[in-house]
Amino acid sequence: MRALRILLIVVVILGGLFVIADRVALHFAQGEVADKLKTTENLSATPDVSIKGFPFLTQVASGELDDVEIGIKDYDADTGNSAGDGPRTIRIDDLKAQMKGVDFSGDYSSATATNAAGTATIAYDELLKAAKSEPTQVFTGVTAQVIGLSDGGNGKIKVDVKVSALGQSQTYPVLSTVTVAGDTVKVHADNLPKLVVDLADSRMRSITDFQQTIDQLPGGIKLDSVQAAKSGVEIAVKGSNVKLAG
């Protein structure tokens, strides 16, 4: 019985040491991946990296991590605009991605996920930068401009359009549909404000309807879908062979 007790104590101690070693190795790996990702993507702050699964050391031995979660705050995404007639970057408040099947090198200098899926949020004041917020002539003596974006309910964006004529102004709430086409978020008015001249509709739509390209997201992930939410638009992202580092 004494020998059995001694054996059990040894097993418990070794098990505890293994858990400690596993957690230390995990913490080190998460820090290394975060630092490499920060450098690769030229981020202003170190991202959050969480490697899931236990034990971690068995994943290291296999050379593949089962599940890695990445969180990046305030990411400035490229808009692909080099002409100077719009914003060159657009701020993403919260980018989260879950990476599956991550192959990595021994020093974590490179890491590639088989596939990834996540979400990103763009505040309405950021998306407003893509709209015509300066007065634009609709027809003689009448100008219009987008002055605000907000949640319109039921997955719609409410676009506030200010129309001015003869020194008087009126704001029209326009419910709009938001979609994704490739790397571009598009806002399209469901209905336009009724003006005196129907021929102005096409000119009005050039103001109410706008789009914003979002390019070069981390690791090569792509836009998938979008919906209006309370504080901004929520975008689903996905990708394959996504590079976390290297």
Side-chain angles (χ1 to χ4, degrees):
M1 290 296 293
R2 181 183 179 188
L4 179 59
R5 286 198 298 271
I6 293 174
L7 178 60
L8 288 175
I9 292 172
V10 170
V11 169
V12 170
I13 292 173
L14 290 177
L17 291 175
F18 175 79
V19 171
I20 292 172
D22 189 83
R23 296 300 91 183
V24 170
L26 173 64
H27 181 73
F28 173 78
Q30 289 177 157
E32 287 294 299
V33 173
D35 289 341
K36 297 294 184 183
L37 183 58
K38 179 182 178 181
T39 300
T40 301
E41 297 296 336
N42 194 29
L43 303 176
S44 59
T46 303
D48 294 327
V49 175
S50 178
I51 300 174
K52 305 299 182 180
F54 179 84
F56 168 68
L57 290 175
T58 59
Q59 297 183 64
V60 172
S62 70
E64 180 179 294
L65 304 177
D66 298 332
D67 188 351
V68 180
E69 291 184 358
I70 305 294
I72 301 174
K73 300 287 187 181
D74 298 330
Y75 178 76
D76 288 329
D78 190 354
T79 63
N81 180 16
S82 60
D85 56 351
R88 291 175 179 259
T89 62
I90 185 167
R91 189 184 73 251
I92 297 178
D93 290 334
D94 196 5
L95 175 61
K96 296 179 180 178
Q98 188 170 35
M99 313 289 184
K100 297 289 188 179
V102 181
D103 290 322
F104 62 95
S105 61
D107 61 355
Y108 304 102
S109 60
S110 66
T112 303
T114 302
N115 57 71
T119 58
T121 303
I122 300 176
Y124 286 121
D125 61 345
E126 278 293 302
L127 191 58
L128 181 62
K129 296 176 182 178
K132 290 185 178 179
S133 55
E134 296 296 326
T136 302
Q137 183 171 289
V138 180
F139 54 89
T140 304
V142 179
T143 63
Q145 65 188 109
V146 175
I147 61 173
L149 304 176
S150 59
D151 180 20
N154 297 319
K156 302 290 185 179
I157 291 180
K158 182 166 74 74
V159 180
D160 290 325
V161 181
K162 180 181 177 182
V163 179
S164 301
L166 303 176
Q168 301 295 318
S169 297
Q170 183 173 348
T171 299
Y172 296 87
V174 177
L175 288 180
S176 301
T177 298
V178 57
T179 58
V180 162
D183 60 0
T184 303
V185 175
K186 296 185 175 184
V187 178
H188 179 81
D190 295 347
N191 295 289
L192 297 174
K194 286 298 181 182
L195 301 178
V196 176
V197 182
D198 288 338
L199 291 176
D201 280 3
S202 62
R203 298 178 185 175
M204 179 62 74
R205 189 168 288 283
S206 71
I207 297 168
T208 60
D209 295 5
F210 58 93
Q211 62 185 39
Q212 178 62 72
T213 298
I214 301 174
D215 196 14
Q216 298 179 14
L217 289 174
I221 55 177
K222 302 294 183 181
L223 306 184
D224 185 34
S225 62
V226 63
Q227 65 177 3
K230 184 176 181 180
S231 58
V233 292
E234 294 181 349
I235 301 171
V237 297
K238 66 178 182 179
S240 56
N241 296 321
V242 176
K243 288 187 175 295
L244 279 74

